[in-house]
Amino acid sequence: MYRYDEFDRDFVAERVEQFRGQVGRRLSGELSEEEFRPLRLLNGLYLQLHAYMLRVVIPYGMLSSRQLRMLAQVARRYDRGYGHFTTRQNIQFNWPKLEEVPDLLADLATVEMHAIQGSGNSIRNVTADQFAGVAADEVEDPRVYAEIVRQWSTLHPEFTFLPRKFKIALTGAGHDRAAVRVHDIGLAMVEDAAGEAGFEVIVGGGLGRTPMIGKTIREFLAKRDLLSYLEAILRIYNQFGRRDNKYKARIKILVHELGAEKFTELVEAEWREIKDGTLELPAEEIERIEAYFADPPYETFEADDAGYLAMLAIDGAFRRWATSNLFPHKRPGYAIVNLSLKPLDGVPGDATAAQMEAAADLADRYGFGEIRITHEQNLVLPYVAQRDLHDLWRALDEIGFATPNIGQVTDIISCPGLDFCSLASARSIPVAQRIGRRFRDLDRQFDIGELHINISGCINACGHHHVGHIGLLGVDRKGEEYYQITLGGSADENASLGEIVGPAVSYDAVVDAIEAVIAAYLEHREPDEPFIETYRRLGAEPFKESVYGKESVHDAA
Amino acid sequence: MSLQVVTANRLRDGIVVYLAADGGWRQRVADAALALDQGEAERLMALASAAVEARLVVDPYLIEVVEDGGLVRPSRYREVIRATGPSVETQADLPSAAE
Amino acid sequence: MTLLKGGEIVADEWAAVGDDDPVPAGPAIVSLQRWQGEREELLRRNHPVGVRLASDEASGAPGAPGVIEEISADLDRLGVVVLEFASFTDGRAYSQARLLRERYGFEGEVRAVGNVLRDQYQFMLRCGFDAFEVVDPGKLDGWREAASEIGAWYQPAADRRQSIPALRHAARGRA
Ligand code: SF4
């Protein structure tokens, strides 16, 4: 993985001291809250419902075991012993004290981590496919370019006070696990006719109040032009993005109002001016970064491990876990292992300090000391030999990370909602927990198969409800919590936005409503047909009937 | 006119606090000074603004409360959660946490 | 109002002239509107002229040639271009300053006015601003400190400082 050199180290150390000064000036009264707020947000620090909240960024969701141990230590020393992994591959601490945040950041800097651009109207932490470098269907490893974009976007002098926040995601695989079509900029690695790898550039996707699927503004961008092209897009946005209304300030609105064609013209014209300048990426620089992401020292296996196959045959519980929580690895004899942070009754995405430390130890023992964070709020050990899977599984079970539910109905994406978030309209976490309890039976989950439920506590859509197969959006109806249901969303290469199927349902009725949706699916599905396919084949009608036809869940609120 | 109290977050650590009758800031809503009318509410908010100036608290505002069996509690659900903490057990509270 | 240049408080030799005021002798800064309306007269004075652009004017409408582009032909006749931060969170002037410096090669003064604060000072310096109208003159030390809080940056920008990629390249060349 990427390691800091002296320049990165100095930069982050200086940034910590700069923020220490800003906190000092706030505490001494030199800065008002109004002046301090944008400065603390630029460093990932919010004032939430109960306390300050610090979002530590995890570039493209990649951590070393050493870094994960430090996150555990931070959780213990500065927080209440746990952290929350987010849908943007970051981690949030819910209870840090303002006066201690500079020390916390100094501790993080010792393991090459920071909170820069964790929030604010800046270019946020760049995200990428969680299986980058190990997926079988990859054109090229997107982490190389994610790292290049990370550096370029860090405290960019021109683009740190944009009209609104700005999110960039990359994927290098045919199957899109990074949701590039619902980002401000999505970069999908593709090959041109000559077999040269480059980027399809997608702009103006996003969720929130006005969800939109991004538009492709360039079919193929050469690697050397990556940064100059991004700079051109951002310069157009910085100058012309709306600043009169924060709900219309994202780039998707600019693209929409100008039209993709006009927007593309502006970007291309700007780009022609700067493309041969100082931002051109020399091949030498790309190679230098590539070296950081070289394969770990794999063992060579000819085929599947015989011991592993034997355990699969005799141990049913292991087989179930292997079926749902393992993904195919590009190397024979290896697997990609998902650690579920969605245990029964748990908080989706939460991990305690002890769990983080245990996971770090397991990564060292079985997985070359590396961990990934997924936007589904789970952890991944990307390179585990099949030989070790049974032992790893037992160890994961002991720390509560072996729930065999990846991609299934209880693997719910949930934002913090009203339990933590000051912007929330309704709670998210307890809804996820209640759905989890209703579908706790593993056979039933397994029978239902792949199904993504995403929950957001308000229209800001941090829980990505628009792109859940089933989405729930919390709304406030005269002080009562209600949930709007959307169906048919998807965040992958066939991205689609869910459709609202009817009136919002109450907190008490929402689990029954989900069950009714699933009952309709089970009734109408064809053999081996996943939920999203059945929905696309039949449309919303049978699901609507199932939910609203029944008096018990009907609610005209 | 409903009952109101002033709440804010403490500047140094962010913790939720309520303005008490003696001008101090307390963590329990039960200790908050009750405003029965608009004039009293304005007086409390003036005290709160002074506390902002004095760098004690951030973003003070009035909330409605109700008296319920001799106890005061916020009427809006959001404020109940602010007063009592997250409504869910966090991972740290679970037996599976292996602490 | 205090003018900060090169880390020092300096006397402002430029007169800010309102749209209805007579233009005095000596260096004068006028609005864009006045510049466009009275260009010939202003140039005939044989005193330096500067133009003040509001954020909206400077960027213009998308696709229409921006004002910066429009006045680019006149840049060698202008001593100062004043760009506005209506609020410190409105970052348009950063792009405008870079365009002036990097695209149109403007070598006169680029002055920041409005909500100009020390926590954005380094960003402004990097984007090509070299003069700052500051409300509170009492904290000069703070501004000097702010100018060097970060030693090296990842991006090339208008200040032509070596970016971290360039510094790395140079370090490898030495090794
Ligand atoms: S979706 Fe709303 S409630 Fe949930 S974290 Fe985002 S802002 Fe908060």
Side-chain angles (χ1 to χ4, degrees), chain A residues 48 55 414-418 420-426 428 455-465 473:
Chain A
Q48 279 292 18
R55 180 178 297 144
S414 165
C415 81
L418 190 51
F420 291 95
C421 178
S422 59
L423 301 173
S425 309
S428 308
I455 310 176
S456 301
C458 80
I459 192 71
N460 287 317
C462 304
H464 300 178
H465 64 277
L473 164 65

Side-chain angles (χ1 to χ4, degrees), chain C residues 82-150:
Chain C
V82 179
L83 298 174
E84 177 198 19
F85 289 87
S87 148
F88 77 88
T89 56
D90 182 340
R92 281 177 290 184
Y94 295 114
S95 290
Q96 295 156 5
R98 284 194 71 184
L99 289 174
L100 274 175
R101 293 288 191 213
E102 295 172 62
R103 180 137 330 145
Y104 302 113
F106 181 59
E107 287 176 2
E109 178 180 305
V110 179
R111 181 181 295 199
V113 300
N115 196 200
V116 179
L117 303 174
R118 70 161 263 190
D119 291 292
Q120 287 75 48
Y121 187 40
Q122 260 199 312
F123 296 128
M124 293 182 191
L125 288 168
R126 296 227 58 213
C127 288
F129 288 97
D130 60 353
F132 307 85
E133 278 189 24
V134 180
V135 179
D136 187 348
K139 296 169 190 158
L140 199 53
D141 284 353
W143 288 85
R144 290 192 181 133
E145 206 179 286
S148 58
E149 278 173 340
I150 305 286

Side-chain angles (χ1 to χ4, degrees), chain C residues 15-31:
Chain C
V17 184
D19 278 350
D20 301 321
D21 301 339
V23 181
I29 296 173
V30 298
S31 70

Side-chain angles (χ1 to χ4, degrees), chain A residues 277-449:
Chain A
T278 40
L279 282 173
E280 189 175 316
L281 268 178
E284 171 212 27
E285 174 66 5
I286 294 174
E287 278 163 29
R288 194 181 72 83
I289 302 287
E290 263 169 356
Y292 287 109
F293 298 97
D295 279 344
Y298 285 120
E299 287 176 67
T300 306
F301 301 112
E302 295 302 322
D304 285 339
D305 182 72
Y308 162 65
L309 295 178
M311 288 315 287
L312 277 184
I314 58 175
D315 187 336
F318 176 60
R319 185 168 58 244
R320 182 185 304 269
W321 173 79
T323 312
S324 56
N325 290 30
L326 300 183
F327 281 77
H329 198 283
K330 67 177 184 184
R331 302 269 305 199
Y334 278 90
I336 302 172
V337 179
N338 283 261
L339 282 50
S340 171
L341 300 195
K342 319 289 176 67
L344 184 65
D345 286 331
V347 174
D350 271 18
T352 64
Q355 286 175 319
M356 289 187 234
E357 280 161 354
D361 291 347
L362 293 173
D364 281 340
R365 184 154 356 128
Y366 299 116
F368 300 106
E370 193 190 305
I371 301 96
R372 310 272 178 90
I373 319 301
T374 75
H375 79 266
E376 293 91 351
Q377 302 174 284
N378 294 309
L379 303 184
V380 167
L381 300 185
Y383 345 80
V384 179
Q386 287 176 341
R387 177 189 61 214
D388 297 328
L389 285 171
H390 196 262
D391 291 344
L392 172 63
W393 169 65
R394 279 199 307 223
L396 289 174
D397 195 36
E398 266 169 43
I399 59 170
F401 279 176
T403 313
N405 63 350
I406 297 297
Q408 297 172 18
V409 53
T410 63
D411 183 10
I412 296 169
I413 293 180
S414 165
C415 81
L418 190 51
D419 286 297
F420 291 95
C421 178
S422 59
L423 301 173
S425 309
R427 285 173 294 169
S428 308
I429 297 166
V431 173
Q433 290 174 328
R434 287 168 57 221
I435 295 170
R437 280 198 285 278
R438 178 72 61 92
F439 292 94
R440 66 190 302 163
D441 183 76
L442 291 174
D443 290 327
R444 188 168 173 216
Q445 284 194 47
F446 199 72
D447 175 50
I448 295 166

Side-chain angles (χ1 to χ4, degrees), chain A residues 133-278:
Chain A
V134 290
D137 61 341
E138 197 165 80
V139 174
E140 233 180 82
D141 190 339
R143 291 171 302 171
V144 176
Y145 304 95
E147 175 57 29
I148 288 169
V149 172
R150 181 192 76 80
Q151 296 193 18
W152 163 82
S153 62
T154 300
L155 292 191
H156 195 298
E158 185 179 347
F159 304 134
T160 300
F161 294 93
L162 295 167
R164 200 77 176 82
K165 60 188 169 186
F166 202 91
K167 300 174 181 176
I168 302 178
L170 291 94
T171 180
H175 180 61
D176 176 14
R177 284 167 290 259
V180 297
R181 276 160 219 286
V182 288
H183 278 76
D184 295 287
I185 297 180
L187 297 166
M189 297 202 73
V190 289
E191 279 175 357
D192 69 3
E196 190 63 35
F199 305 93
E200 177 187 350
V201 183
I202 302 147
V203 177
L207 299 175
R209 196 171 293 259
T210 321
M212 289 190 193
I213 303 289
K215 313 271 186 309
T216 297
I217 66 163
R218 191 166 242 280
E219 300 286 346
F220 186 86
L221 179 72
K223 294 169 182 174
R224 68 171 177 280
D225 297 323
L226 176 61
L227 294 184
S228 57
Y229 205 78
L230 292 180
E231 187 135 315
I233 296 172
L234 265 297
R235 182 167 290 159
I236 296 301
Y237 172 55
N238 188 43
Q239 291 192 86
F240 304 119
R242 287 181 62 170
R243 291 175 187 265
D244 57 331
N245 178 343
K246 84 173 207 183
Y247 300 120
K248 301 206 161 143
R250 295 288 289 270
I251 196 173
K252 62 191 170 190
I253 304 292
L254 180 65
V255 174
H256 181 75
E257 287 182 351
L258 287 177
E261 209 170 308
K262 176 82 191 165
F263 178 82
T264 309
E265 252 171 54
L266 292 178
V267 169
E268 294 277 331
E270 178 61 34
W271 182 53
R272 276 193 294 277
E273 298 278 353
I274 59 175
K275 71 191 279 274
D276 300 316
T278 40

